[in-house]
Amino acid sequence: MIGRLAGRVDYRAEDHVLIDVRGVGYLVYCSDRTLQALPGVGEHTALYTDLLVREDLLQLFGFTSLVEKEWHRLLMGVQGIGAKASLAILGALGVEGVSRAINLGDWNALKAAKGVGPKTAQRVVNELKDKAPQVMAMGAGAASAPLAAAPADMDEVIETPAATAPPPPRASQSAQAEALSALSNLGYAPGEAASAVAQAASDDPEAETPALIRSALKLLAPQG
């Protein structure tokens, strides 16, 4: 499977780009946000990719981070969400917006994506809410760092398995820092986020990042 592309942008279209990798052109479909983040024609770039394989179709989708790619993979697993709808959601909300909406159960936010109705939005939230902390942990770590543009003399195609992000670290301080970063990205105030993470770490000193995020979110949930 093609997991990453690095090369020169040959042209840009409304929903895809053509990346020239040592003379071979790859059509890569991207969300609106990803397209906006890419450089102009003639410049070099790199994208994580996911290959959709069907009997009558081979289609590449591109992402600036492994977190975006992971959300795309998870969204595609929800009934009623195809590649087009997944890219629409990621384009409308962005990685942090998707994480926030699913974690908070805000299916109305998902309706902002073109082609996503209320029933589908609710299904996305219900099926993915338990997986949000794991993806948020990826976003808080190094796996979320955008790909650097490839030098002009370093065009390449690198094939890697899908979802190759490293597992969350076991170090308590590192896990707390990543959990705090993830909560901050969701819009929680630094003070309340730090307090919740500290309490969660105190309750379970050996917790990894996803578990800390999950516990902290429970502590931050409105009581009623």
Side-chain angles (χ1 to χ4, degrees):
M1 176 175 291
I2 300 174
R4 179 178 179 272
L5 289 175
R8 185 184 67 246
V9 178
D10 257 15
Y11 77 75
R12 302 168 60 108
E14 184 178 348
D15 59 354
H16 66 273
V17 292
L18 177 68
I19 298 180
D20 183 286
V21 182
R22 293 186 175 180
V24 179
Y26 292 84
L27 282 175
V28 186
Y29 291 81
C30 307
S31 70
D32 291 342
R33 287 176 183 253
T34 295
L35 286 172
Q36 292 172 8
L38 294 179
V41 173
E43 299 184 60
H44 283 71
T45 189
L47 288 171
Y48 292 108
T49 58
D50 186 65
L51 179 63
L52 176 63
V53 180
R54 292 179 179 169
E55 290 184 3
D56 58 346
L57 180 68
L58 289 175
Q59 198 167 28
L60 272 175
F61 299 93
F63 314 94
T64 57
S65 70
L66 283 172
V67 181
E68 186 186 15
K69 177 177 177 177
E70 180 65 8
W71 271 127
H72 175 73
R73 186 185 69 82
L74 292 173
L75 287 167
M76 288 276 286
V78 177
Q79 182 182 358
I81 297 292
K84 187 175 182 179
S86 173
L87 293 184
I89 291 172
L90 290 168
L93 302 180
V95 169
E96 293 176 0
V98 171
S99 297
R100 184 182 302 111
I102 292 177
N103 178 70
L104 299 178
D106 184 9
W107 57 269
N108 277 309
L110 297 175
K111 286 169 50 184
K114 184 177 180 180
V116 178
K119 290 184 178 180
T120 301
Q122 291 179 48
R123 188 181 303 118
V124 168
V125 168
N126 291 336
E127 292 189 17
L128 300 184
K129 60 184 179 181
D130 291 337
K131 300 177 182 178
Q134 183 71 40
V135 183
M136 290 165 60
M138 290 175 60
S144 65
L147 283 169
D153 59 348
M154 291 291 288
D155 288 357
E156 60 177 339
V157 178
I158 299 179
E159 297 190 2
T160 58
T164 54
R170 289 184 175 275
S172 177
Q173 289 185 345
S174 177
Q176 289 185 57
E178 293 185 353
L180 180 59
S181 174
L183 294 176
S184 297
N185 289 338
L186 286 181
Y188 288 103
E192 63 178 356
S195 177
V197 170
Q199 180 62 51
S202 175
D203 294 341
D204 186 0
E206 297 184 359
E208 297 179 356
T209 306
L212 280 181
I213 293 173
R214 193 174 291 109
S215 297
L217 287 170
K218 290 180 179 179
L219 293 171
L220 291 167
Q223 304 296 319

